[in-house]
Each structure stands twice: as C-alpha cells, then as structure tokens.
C-alpha cells in the first residue's frame, strides 16, 4: 500500500508486482528516468546563473530554434538510458530519427522503447517559468534481440505501458503512471530524494479553468470558438478562469489538481495542431485517463489515433472529463 512520505525508490519496488509483465525491467527504466530528472533539474535550476540559456543555434526536427537546455536535457535522458542498457530504442522530439540501442548485440534482451519530449515549454526557460519533461513507454513489437524499427514507435497510445512527466516548477515533481492510477513525487533538493507527495491523483470531474493560447482565436475552428464563448458566458459556475502558462506540463499539472481543460486546437498556422502525438499528446492522454480525466482530438480519444509518422501533430483537448466532453459536443455540432 502506497503511503505519503514513501520514497520513489521504495514505491517502485513495492509496486513492481502489479505491473503485468513484471520483470524488474520497467522498474529499472523508471529509476533511470528518476536519475536523469535529478541531473536535468540541477541544470534547469541554475539556468539563470550561468551562460546556458538562449538558442543553441540548432534547429530541431520541427524547424524550431533549440534552446541550450533542450539539447542538454535531450542528451542527458538519452545518455542515461543508453549507457545503462535499459531500453532497446529511444525517439525524441529533438531528434529527426529514432535511436536503436545495442542493435548489434544479440544479448540485448531489452523490451521497451521510450519516446520523450526532453524539455517541454522551452520558451519559458529564459523567463524563469516552469518547464517539464514528458515520457512515454511501450513494449517493442518486433522480436527481442533485433534492431528496433519504426513500427516499435508508431504504436497507438492505448498500447502504452507507462507515461509521465517531470515538472521543474516551484518544486520539482515526477508524476507517472504504469496503468494503475497516477502518483506524484516531490523532490527534496537538499538530499536529492523524491517522496510520494500526491498519491492517486485525480482530475475533478469538471472545473472552472480553461487553458488555451487565445492569441490564435480567430484561426480556431468554429466549435472551439463556440466553446471559448461558452466558457466566458455568465451562467452557473461560468465565466471560467483563463490560465495559460505555455508549458503543457505545467498547465496540465495545475488543471489536474484544480480542475480544468487544456486546449491546443488546429489553426491556420498549425492545421494539424502544434503538439506531437507521440511525445506530448499520448503520454498526457494516458495520464489524464488514469486520473479520471479525458483527452480528445476534438472528435475522439487521442489514444486511439493510429500514428503515421514519428513527429506527427494532432489537436489536443485534455483535462476534466465533463469539460472535454463539452468541447466534443461543440465540435461535432459545428461541422
Ligand atoms: P516544446 O517547448 O517542447 O516545443 O513544447 C511547447 C508546447 C507546449 O508545451 C505548450 O503548451 C505549447 O507548445 C505552447 O505553444 P504556443 O506558444 O503556440 O501557445
Ligand atoms: Mn513540448
Ligand atoms: Mn520540447
């Protein structure tokens, strides 16, 4: 039984048995993410002190400027999982292609692939606003001991065996699920240990916060415009409060605790939406559903979408289940 003040290490060991393919491998994987999270946290927290902020000059797979910390976090997570021989493949928002680990080594019996957004909300780094890391875990579908292929990564969100995020905020938290609810752990920076601080996290069924970049309003589909107007009308518990950090992890985290909806719809600028299905939407959708919330592309469950490519983008409406349902109602009645 989980209990507050348990360490993440203790929690992982105690809950290993409830994982259906229990082999210790997933536990080792979560442990390696925990380790990389601490290292990245240390770096994020000194971003204002050293010359590490600002664009690194590279352009990522989506044509966006990379910040130095994006590169740092990307390298740290990949290194940690690669050097410890934890997984058989990694795909990252910051890499054009997936990485196959020990593909020549027939002894490599690792079964899991990880997809990662190493630093989410990176435009917030320069201004001391919280950022995050998002990860998503699948069992490979190609045979163990062979090099991974694109099919191992292009699995539906419903196939995830684990997902989570790290939020580098006023305190640093690791929040994750392996399909048995969502638990949140807060880092005690003085001793470098994560403690269970938020057991069994749940979205309230409905809420009064909506989070969307309203600067894009005129480019949104009619259903989203109608929903935003609904949020602003005076009736019952409305008007709702608008809160948008511009960091999916942080907006999601707040909404999960307080009740609310996060939206990144399609627009004329981003006809498919901006967020990436595999690195952002699916892991957050898994967490949302495990926390009694919902995640939709406006018409149906995000986790049922059949991925076609690694860096695919989809619209995302995610949060308290009744609010997501309401957006879907507005979307379907406007087409
Ligand atoms: P990333 O920093 O990994 O590119 O992700 C940023 C994402 C998401 O976290 C955030 O909610 C959204 O992009 C913000 O986009 P806008 O600035 O267009 O609102
Ligand atoms: Mn992101
Ligand atoms: Mn990112």
């Amino acid at each position: 039984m989980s209990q507050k003040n348990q360490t993440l290490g203790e929690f992982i060991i105690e809950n290993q048995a409830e994982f259906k393919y229990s082999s210790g491998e997933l536990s080792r994987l979560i442990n390696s993410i925990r380790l990389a999270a601490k290292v990245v946290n240390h770096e994020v927290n000194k971003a204002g002190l050293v010359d590490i902020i600002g664009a690194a000059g590279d352009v990522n797979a989506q044509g966006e400027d990379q910040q130095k910390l994006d590169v740092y976090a990307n390298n740290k997570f990949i290194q940690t999982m690669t050097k410890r021989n934890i997984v058989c493949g990694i795909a990252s928002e910051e890499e054009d292609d997936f990485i196959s680990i020990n593909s020549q080594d027939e002894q490599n019996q690792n079964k899991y692939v990880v997809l990662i957004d190493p630093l989410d909300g990176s435009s917030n780094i320069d201004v001391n606003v919280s950022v995050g890391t998002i990860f998503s875990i699948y069992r490979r579908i190609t045979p163990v001991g062979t090099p991974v292929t694109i099919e191992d990564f292009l699995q539906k969100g419903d196939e995830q065996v684990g997902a989570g995020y790290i939020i580098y905020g006023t305190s640093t938290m690791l929040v994750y699920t392996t399909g048995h609810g969502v638990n949140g752990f807060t880092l005690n920076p003085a001793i470098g240990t994560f403690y269970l601080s938020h057991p069994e996290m749940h979205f309230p069924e409905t809420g009064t916060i909506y989070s969307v970049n309203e600067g894009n309003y005129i480019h949104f589909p009619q259903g989203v415009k109608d929903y935003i107007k609904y949020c602003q009308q005076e009736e019952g518990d409305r008007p709702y409060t608008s809160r948008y950090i511009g960091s999916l992890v942080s907006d999601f985290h707040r909404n999960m605790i307080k009740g609310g909806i996060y939206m990144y719809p399609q627009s004329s600028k981003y006809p498919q939406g901006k967020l990436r299905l595999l690195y952002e939407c699916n892991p957050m959708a898994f967490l949302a559903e495990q926390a009694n919330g919902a995640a939709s592309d406006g018409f149906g469950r995000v986790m049922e979408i059949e991925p076609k490519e690694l860096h695919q983008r989809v619209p995302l409406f995610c949060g308290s289940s009744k609010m997501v349902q309401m957006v879907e109602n507005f979307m379907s009645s406007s087409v």
Side-chain angles (χ1 to χ4, degrees):
M1 211 20 223
S2 63
Q3 57 196 43
K4 268 199 176 182
N5 85 23
Q6 203 174 23
T7 69
L8 174 55
E10 289 165 348
F11 181 91
I12 291 171
I13 293 167
E14 204 163 288
N15 291 277
Q16 185 169 306
E18 77 178 14
F19 182 60
K20 64 179 170 178
Y21 307 106
S22 177
S23 66
E25 197 181 330
L26 190 76
S27 302
R28 288 200 301 132
L29 175 45
I30 304 283
N31 262 321
S32 73
I33 289 171
R34 171 182 70 157
L35 176 63
K38 286 190 221 176
V39 178
V40 171
N41 174 63
H42 182 69
E43 210 62 22
V44 167
N45 278 321
K46 61 182 197 194
L49 297 172
V50 292
D51 181 29
I52 198 164
I53 51 175
D58 293 343
V59 171
N60 74 8
Q62 281 79 38
E64 298 151 338
D65 282 341
Q66 273 186 348
Q67 307 277 301
K68 280 183 188 171
L69 267 174
D70 289 33
V71 180
Y72 181 87
N74 186 46
N75 293 342
K76 228 7 113 189
F77 278 98
I78 291 175
Q79 266 171 24
T80 307
M81 288 185 277
T82 308
K83 284 197 176 147
R84 299 175 155 241
N85 194 12
I86 301 272
V87 293
C88 54
I90 303 171
S92 163
E93 184 204 80
E94 301 294 340
E95 303 280 336
D96 290 335
D97 218 340
F98 63 85
I99 299 165
S100 183
I101 296 164
N102 290 340
S103 54
Q104 312 307 326
D105 179 4
E106 287 183 10
Q107 299 308 309
N108 179 7
Q109 296 298 304
N110 295 336
K111 291 181 284 297
Y112 296 101
V113 296
V114 172
L115 294 98
I116 191 159
D117 177 357
L119 212 66
D120 173 69
S122 44
S123 65
N124 283 326
I125 296 165
D126 293 2
V127 291
N128 214 347
V129 175
S130 58
V131 291
T133 296
I134 308 173
F135 59 92
S136 169
I137 307 168
Y138 294 83
R139 275 171 80 86
R140 65 181 301 173
I141 52 178
T142 53
V144 169
T146 64
V148 286
T149 71
I150 187 75
E151 282 71 39
D152 293 313
F153 297 94
L154 297 186
Q155 300 190 52
K156 280 198 288 196
D158 269 335
E159 303 299 327
Q160 287 173 103
V161 295
Y165 59 79
I166 298 123
I167 178 168
Y168 311 99
T170 40
S171 53
T172 292
M173 283 188 69
L174 194 156
V175 175
Y176 80 102
T177 182
T178 54
H180 300 274
V182 176
N183 290 285
F185 300 82
T186 303
L187 180 67
N188 178 341
I191 51 175
T193 304
F194 282 101
Y195 289 95
L196 180 60
S197 52
H198 295 63
E200 291 158 30
M201 298 179 84
H202 287 130
F203 273 95
E205 201 176 18
T206 191
T208 56
I209 296 173
Y210 71 102
S211 310
V212 64
N213 185 343
E214 263 176 282
N216 297 326
Y217 180 85
I218 58 167
H219 306 289
F220 288 154
Q222 192 55 44
V224 175
K225 288 181 178 169
D226 294 344
Y227 179 70
I228 291 174
K229 285 295 154 219
Y230 166 87
C231 293
Q232 296 170 343
Q233 275 159 13
E234 198 161 334
E235 198 184 327
D237 57 355
R238 288 173 286 143
Y240 294 159
T241 296
S242 167
R243 290 282 182 274
Y244 188 71
I245 295 170
S247 160
L248 168 62
V249 166
S250 314
D251 282 308
F252 178 100
H253 186 76
R254 181 204 51 241
N255 291 352
M256 179 159 60
I257 291 170
K258 294 195 165 181
I261 183 167
Y262 174 94
M263 303 185 274
Y264 210 108
Q266 55 278 64
S267 66
S268 44
K269 190 172 171 198
Y270 292 110
Q272 315 301 327
K274 178 187 178 192
L275 302 181
R276 296 75 167 178
L277 173 61
L278 298 177
Y279 312 110
E280 293 167 320
C281 302
N282 272 336
M284 297 319 252
F286 191 22
L287 287 160
E289 290 193 6
Q290 284 294 318
N292 284 2
S296 167
D297 67 354
F299 298 99
R301 288 178 64 240
V302 164
M303 291 201 287
E304 286 175 24
I305 298 171
E306 197 79 59
K308 303 256 181 304
E309 56 185 31
L310 225 37
H311 295 286
Q312 186 171 338
R313 299 170 192 263
V314 292
L316 178 67
F317 303 87
C318 177
S320 291
S321 58
K322 285 199 166 161
M323 300 177 89
V324 175
Q325 182 60 55
M326 188 63 86
V327 175
E328 286 187 339
N329 295 348
F330 276 102
M331 288 298 278
S332 55
S333 58
S334 76
V335 284

